[in-house]
Amino acid sequence: MARSGEERRKRILDLVRSGGRREVQDIASDLSVAVETVRRDLRLLEDRHLLQRVHGAAVPVESGSFETALDHRAQTRLAEKRRIAAAAVEAIGDAQTIFLDEGYTPMLIAEAIAELTHPLTVVTASLANAIAIGKAPHHSVLVLGGRVRSRTLATVDHWATGMLAQLNLDLAILGANGITVEHGLTTPDPAVAEVKRTAVEVSRRRVFIGIHTKFGVTSFCTFARVQDFELLITEEALPLRQAQRFAALGPHVERV
């Protein structure tokens, strides 16, 4: 019986990860089981940090072996991500050379940067970022070479890190799959972690961007410490007490 339960929960996890978001009723129908059975399974999977329950549905949580694609990220918490992106653009200040990370919120930042009138030099591993900013003739865009990851359309491996390591940048705007006081900023893919780690090393200032669900989550590879950052930008849903724990390590925590 326990084995069938584990097999059912694996099937539920596969459904949620493939669909990005699945309603409880739909899962029950797909598996021909009771809604209460699905709810119990979802609680167990949430306790294992494999998914998150939201308003009668479930959404995937990233881990060392699973990462969501850009199309899923574009469907969740859009208003919050737009506010975070706007705050990140404000944080650019007098920086003239910037590393802009891969991901959906960085893509929103890229679109906003394209509208800025003062010229910037932007370094990025993201093809989507490069396209958005490259349309603005007064900005310069440097795209890191390397293998393109299909989930995020960003480059990795030694071509990317080798090019990035030769630069000296004013500011790095970085995301993460998880951020904790104990383990710092983490991401599932070691190749991605190396690009982010190099960006931290070559940048004078660093800003973290991420929705509140990133906080308290640990993924596979650590690429930076919380204290490496001057500013953490997230949404107001992050509890104040949790924000204060991160601020105690040095960075200002902005909840927008």
Side-chain angles (χ1 to χ4, degrees), residues 176-250:
N177 298 79
I179 175 171
T180 66
V181 168
E182 299 80 11
H183 300 288
L185 285 75
T186 56
T187 194
D189 190 324
V192 175
E194 280 302 311
V195 174
K196 293 176 184 284
R197 186 178 295 114
T198 305
V200 169
E201 292 172 352
V202 302
S203 300
R204 180 171 55 88
R205 299 168 48 213
R206 303 111 184 177
V207 171
F208 166 77
I209 52 167
I211 58 176
H212 82 280
T213 55
K214 305 283 188 180
F215 287 76
V217 174
T218 300
S219 190
F220 186 50
C221 302
T222 297
F223 64 86
R225 306 171 302 164
V226 173
Q227 50 265 48
D228 292 329
F229 288 75
E230 68 174 42
L231 176 62
L232 312 179
I233 304 175
T234 187
E235 50 179 309
E236 57 188 358
L238 181 73
L240 179 59
R241 182 172 296 181
Q242 192 174 6
Q244 290 170 339
R245 290 188 65 222
F246 285 90
L249 294 178

Side-chain angles (χ1 to χ4, degrees), residues 40-118:
R40 285 195 299 271
D41 286 341
L42 291 179
R43 283 194 292 270
L44 284 170
L45 291 168
E46 186 175 49
D47 289 343
R48 298 174 187 175
H49 305 289
L50 295 173
L51 54 74
Q52 182 180 3
R53 294 178 295 156
V54 289
H55 308 299
V59 296
V61 170
E62 295 175 340
S63 67
S65 60
F66 173 75
E67 184 179 10
T68 56
L70 276 179
D71 56 354
H72 168 70
R73 302 180 199 184
Q75 299 170 19
T76 58
R77 298 187 179 275
L78 291 184
E80 294 89 339
K81 290 174 181 177
R82 291 189 186 280
R83 293 199 301 270
I84 291 170
V89 173
E90 287 292 324
I92 290 175
D94 61 357
Q96 296 180 344
T97 55
I98 300 169
F99 175 83
L100 183 58
D101 206 355
E102 63 175 68
Y104 185 72
T105 304
M107 189 171 69
L108 295 176
I109 295 171
E111 293 171 355
I113 285 176
E115 301 298 322
L116 296 178
T117 56
H118 58 282

Side-chain angles (χ1 to χ4, degrees), residues 67-70 73 102-103 125-128 148-156 192:
E67 184 179 10
T68 56
L70 276 179
R73 302 180 199 184
E102 63 175 68
S126 165
L127 303 185
V148 177
R149 300 175 68 236
S150 59
R151 282 192 173 273
T152 60
L153 296 180
T155 57
V156 291
V192 175

Side-chain angles (χ1 to χ4, degrees), residues 9-38:
R9 286 186 280 275
K10 182 180 185 303
R11 177 61 179 150
I12 290 173
L13 189 58
D14 289 341
L15 287 171
V16 173
R17 286 178 168 178
S18 62
R21 175 190 173 106
R22 292 300 292 262
E23 301 294 324
V24 172
Q25 293 280 2
D26 293 341
I27 296 173
S29 176
D30 287 343
L31 300 184
S32 300
V33 297
V35 167
E36 279 307 314
T37 299
V38 173

